[in-house]
Amino acid sequence: MIKVIWKDPFFLVGFLFIFALISFSFYHYYVMDNEIYENQIIYEGITPVDRAPFEPSSKYWFGSDRMGADLFYQIISGAKYTLGIAFVASLLRIFLSFLGGVLLMSAGKILPVIKGLGQSFYYIPSALLIFFIVGPIISIEQITFWEKAIFQIMLIVLIAVPNTAILIKEEINLIKKNEFITSAKLMGGNRFRILFKHIMPHLWPKLVLMYVQQVIAVLLLLAHLGILGVFFGGTIYREYGMEFLIPASVSNEWSGLLGGYYAQLRLAPWLVFFPVLSFAAVIMAFNFMAEGIKRSSDQLPGRKKGKKREKGNEESVSGESFVFLTERKTG
Amino acid sequence: MPYIVKDSLLSLILSVIGIILLGSVPFMFTGMAFNTGSYVDGIGKLFQEMMKPSEIMYFTGSGVYPLFPEIWGIIGYSLTILFSAFFIAIILALIFSLVIFSLPARLKDKIRVFSFMFESIPDVLIAIGMQFFIIWFFKKTNILLFQIVSLYDQKTYFVPIFCLTVLPTLLILRILLLNMEEEFNKQYIDTAKGKGIGRFRILWRHVLPNTLLSVFHQSRNILWFMLSNLLMVEYLFNIYGVTTLVREMGNPAIFTISMLLLFLPMFLFFTALRIFTYKWVGEK
């Protein structure tokens, strides 16, 4: 499957987009020194012609904010953090859910109870739940930024684990219905051997697909939380003019950008529109990847087919063992 | 039938317990520290508060009000928006799928292959885009198409329902398109064709009911997805619905009660769907 994926056009399109975005983000960080062009007033000769926030133009592709900072580079610089959070959080989600799924296999009679309790997540919007739990904590001043960030990421991870674990458990059950599992059991393979040697090769492609889907879910959640004003990138207050202090995101992380600029929706709509659009573009790219994975795993159900054939060549039925009855030289 | 009732009852009880457990999570943290003891106490406290619903208060800009009976109006409003959007989405998706299926085969296949892109549009984009459009239209023509922001007593319906309808329509359309194609390859369709039944009649009488079933199966996911849309729409259009109430109060008792009241109608709806499909196809 892994090899086939790279030939799928859908997967490639999505992957290249994400890869280019992250590379550019790191290029901007290391080579361009993370510099974001800031200029509050545009002069023509010596007469000021325009002042920030600037509308999107050929100079400011995505416009600029009130400080005159170029939004395009803010988004580029924030991409690595947002995508990083999404990657890490979904990896943890899948990892914990996998452990949970394996544990659930031996749950026995309490399984329906766990399933029922997990259902309650389906009736609460997840962004609201996180907002509700994080709300009182985020306003405490003594807690450092990193503690808050880790706490939020932990919540984002945990909120999806119960239902994903049940999902993975059901996938495992589906694989377990195959005959080769029965034969492996009869040959005396213990549970862990069966899990790792016989189930995992079939589960991998599904886990990869789930991972990509979880990345999408986390990105959506981040966008929602950003709009609701739960920041991830850390907030600093910057002086605007003489007397105002406006909140700004330290790391230019996208949900932070969204939350920070949301108040200016009427004044400078592009400040909200472009971060949302970048979320949309990234989610679209991941959807392309997910579609590519789906298509290539449809083509090739078992993963190790190719390998096994190479190995098993000499053991497979050789030509001579099959003879037509008429040619058979038995009396 | 008795199985369904028993199973539904079990999941009803468990879901209610689950929501109460989730509602008391804030008690679990004192500051950042994890505290199991206070969590258990918190559940007890939550119960006590919920036993006396008449004493729970909520406050708006204009003052403090008792939660009951005010909450019925708020919940009713949110549910009206949610469910009307859901049903409109199903109807629209049906119409679109019929239209797409009567398109030439090449175009139809193109749409089907790229239908996964429907899922990529974030709900926030649609709500914000809608706001921009209304403002832009207002600036150009001086006609305010719809009331963008609803005040406390005013209830706008059209715009929020519209925003909430777009994505589920695309989602259901995708489910329908994928399943219809599958259904079309089944043998009974060949039989029907062989008997000389027209293409549209086959689609309408045979394929559509069977694919609708898969929409029913997915309805829980669709409605859950719509719930987070509802959160965004209520926030962006400043609608005083149930998610706004929860968001602004941040009180565990109000959270739990609102979520339970949101849960019950949805749950009844799913159970009704289940019984309906059971009567229809005998499927549990």
Side-chain angles (χ1 to χ4, degrees):
Chain A
M1 178 213 170
I2 300 297
K3 275 181 194 162
V4 187
I5 275 185
W6 296 103
K7 287 178 190 156
D8 190 277
F10 284 102
F11 182 83
L12 274 183
V13 167
F15 181 80
L16 284 180
F17 179 80
I18 299 293
F19 186 74
L21 186 62
I22 293 181
S23 316
F24 190 28
S25 184
F26 275 106
Y27 177 81
H28 176 253
Y29 188 76
Y30 287 110
V31 183
M32 293 163 81
D33 291 330
N34 208 11
E35 190 185 305
I36 290 161
Y37 179 72
E38 266 186 37
N39 180 20
Q40 289 208 21
I41 298 161
I42 294 181
Y43 293 97
E44 221 165 65
I46 40 168
T47 40
V49 282
D50 199 2
R51 59 167 304 183
F54 305 116
E55 284 185 24
S57 61
S58 57
K59 188 163 188 296
Y60 295 97
W61 287 4
F62 288 179
S64 86
D65 63 2
R66 275 185 295 182
M67 312 295 288
D70 193 343
L71 186 63
F72 177 70
Y73 282 105
Q74 285 186 347
I75 285 178
I76 289 297
S77 148
K80 52 181 174 295
Y81 300 109
T82 307
L83 288 174
I85 292 174
F87 285 142
V88 172
S90 354
L91 195 67
L92 285 173
R93 271 184 177 188
I94 291 293
F95 179 67
L96 290 179
S97 309
F98 175 69
L99 288 185
V102 171
L103 278 181
L104 278 182
M105 296 213 324
S106 48
K109 275 192 178 166
I110 55 166
L111 183 68
V113 178
I114 295 173
K115 259 189 188 171
L117 288 180
Q119 267 180 13
S120 53
F121 280 99
Y122 277 110
Y123 300 98
I124 301 176
S126 40
L128 188 64
L129 185 59
I130 291 187
F131 185 82
F132 167 67
I133 297 173
V134 163
I137 290 162
I138 216 161
S139 53
I140 302 173
E141 301 249 325
Q142 293 95 315
I143 301 170
T144 61
F145 157 66
W146 276 108
E147 282 174 334
K148 277 184 199 170
I150 288 171
F151 183 73
Q152 284 166 351
I153 291 176
M154 207 182 75
L155 271 181
I156 287 186
V157 170
L158 288 182
I159 213 166
V161 167
N163 283 326
T164 321
I166 291 171
L167 210 68
I168 289 182
K169 195 235 148 205
E170 267 155 20
E171 290 287 352
I172 293 178
N173 272 4
L174 272 185
I175 297 171
K176 267 190 150 179
K177 278 184 189 154
N178 282 318
E179 276 176 28
F180 58 80
I181 301 289
T182 322
S183 7
K185 266 185 200 159
L186 286 177
M187 300 204 11
N190 70 13
R191 277 175 43 196
F192 285 98
R193 184 173 171 85
I194 289 178
L195 181 67
F196 287 108
K197 284 284 172 186
H198 301 281
I199 294 179
M200 279 315 278
H202 293 265
L203 196 62
W204 265 120
K206 283 177 183 139
L207 285 184
V208 172
L209 182 63
M210 270 187 205
Y211 176 71
V212 177
Q213 283 164 342
Q214 289 298 333
V215 171
I216 296 171
V218 171
L219 282 171
L220 263 180
L221 193 59
L222 283 179
H224 286 176
L225 288 175
I227 292 266
L228 291 180
V230 179
F231 280 32
F232 277 87
T235 319
I236 46 164
Y237 285 90
R238 295 186 56 179
E239 257 177 49
Y240 177 67
M242 296 308 273
E243 63 260 62
F244 295 112
L245 284 175
I246 53 174
S249 167
V250 186
S251 58
N252 294 317
E253 194 272 320
W254 291 356
S255 58
L257 286 181
L258 257 184
Y261 292 142
Y262 180 69
Q264 300 169 45
L265 180 63
R266 298 281 144 76
L267 179 76
W270 58 89
L271 284 179
V272 182
F273 187 69
F274 283 108
V276 173
L277 201 66
S278 4
F279 266 115
V282 169
I283 289 171
M284 173 95 66
F286 277 110
N287 259 324
F288 266 91
M289 282 165 81
E291 187 68 17
I293 294 172
K294 265 187 223 163
R295 289 159 61 102
S296 52
S297 61
D298 279 351
Q299 286 168 10
L300 223 159
R303 188 177 69 121
K304 286 192 172 168
K305 262 189 182 165
K307 265 186 191 169
K308 267 185 186 160
R309 213 172 286 146
E310 282 163 35
K311 240 189 195 173
N313 253 348
E314 63 265 32
E315 293 156 30
S316 67
V317 187
S318 59
E320 294 108 54
S321 72
F322 174 79
V323 185
F324 281 111
L325 266 179
T326 46
E327 294 165 16
R328 217 155 111 180
K329 289 164 193 159
T330 43
Chain B
M1 193 65 181
Y3 169 77
I4 292 184
V5 172
K6 210 173 128 193
D7 192 55
S8 299
L9 213 62
L10 181 72
S11 57
L12 171 72
I13 293 166
L14 286 173
S15 303
V16 169
I17 294 174
I19 290 175
I20 291 174
L21 288 182
L22 283 177
S24 33
V25 166
F27 293 116
M28 202 191 273
F29 305 102
T30 40
M32 290 282 291
F34 191 76
N35 194 335
T36 329
S38 70
Y39 181 54
V40 178
D41 291 343
I43 297 173
K45 226 162 76 185
L46 187 68
F47 256 113
Q48 277 174 4
E49 271 186 71
M50 278 169 53
M51 283 300 116
K52 291 175 246 162
S54 55
E55 285 173 23
I56 303 173
M57 305 297 245
Y58 80 104
F59 35 90
T60 61
S62 53
V64 182
Y65 303 98
L67 189 63
F68 288 92
E70 289 287 322
I71 196 169
W72 299 119
I74 297 171
I75 289 268
Y77 183 39
S78 290
L79 282 177
T80 320
I81 292 179
L82 192 70
F83 274 96
S84 30
F86 181 66
F87 288 118
I88 293 173
I90 287 186
I91 293 167
L92 282 181
L94 278 181
I95 295 172
F96 283 138
S97 64
L98 287 180
V99 169
I100 288 173
F101 252 76
S102 47
L103 289 175
R106 269 187 57 211
L107 201 61
K108 187 186 74 182
D109 284 343
K110 278 240 169 65
I111 293 178
R112 206 166 52 84
V113 168
F114 284 95
S115 64
F116 73 89
M117 282 165 67
F118 294 164
E119 289 171 19
S120 317
I121 312 160
D123 38 11
V124 187
L125 188 67
I126 286 180
I128 287 182
M130 186 75 191
Q131 276 191 334
F132 288 161
F133 175 73
I134 293 170
I135 293 170
W136 174 83
F137 197 80
F138 181 65
K139 275 184 185 160
K140 289 278 171 195
T141 60
N142 230 7
I143 303 169
L144 188 58
L145 279 178
F146 311 106
Q147 201 70 34
I148 302 175
V149 170
S150 72
L151 300 172
Y152 177 62
D153 321 328
Q154 268 178 313
K155 286 182 175 171
T156 52
Y157 285 97
F158 186 85
V159 180
I161 289 179
F162 179 81
C163 283
L164 213 55
T165 312
V166 179
L167 286 181
T169 307
L170 295 178
L171 205 70
I172 297 170
L173 181 60
R174 176 169 154 76
I175 297 171
L176 283 178
L177 283 182
L178 290 180
N179 284 307
M180 271 182 170
E181 193 66 27
E182 208 172 280
E183 202 69 28
F184 247 100
N185 292 329
K186 285 190 180 162
Q187 284 185 334
Y188 74 94
I189 300 294
D190 288 339
T191 318
K193 272 183 193 161
K195 288 175 90 177
I197 302 174
R199 188 179 155 81
F200 189 78
R201 196 176 149 80
I202 294 177
L203 197 64
W204 180 250
R205 285 295 299 272
H206 301 284
V207 175
L208 211 58
N210 287 348
T211 39
L212 260 188
L213 218 71
S214 53
V215 175
F216 289 166
H217 282 307
Q218 299 264 4
S219 60
R220 192 172 69 172
N221 285 332
I222 297 169
L223 267 174
W224 180 53
F225 169 75
M226 286 176 74
L227 267 185
S228 25
N229 280 13
L230 182 73
L231 173 73
M232 281 300 110
V233 167
E234 284 189 0
Y235 184 71
L236 291 171
F237 289 98
N238 205 14
I239 292 167
Y240 207 91
V242 64
T243 62
T244 317
L245 176 77
V246 171
R247 214 183 59 238
E248 287 184 352
M249 296 308 120
N251 175 340
I254 291 181
F255 176 88
T256 316
I257 288 176
S258 314
M259 286 303 127
L260 282 178
L261 288 179
L262 198 60
F263 154 76
L264 277 177
M266 283 168 68
F267 182 80
L268 288 178
F269 174 69
F270 296 139
T271 314
L273 264 189
R274 240 177 118 181
I275 292 172
F276 175 66
T277 44
Y278 173 73
K279 294 256 172 190
W280 190 13
V281 288
E283 198 179 312
K284 277 171 187 169

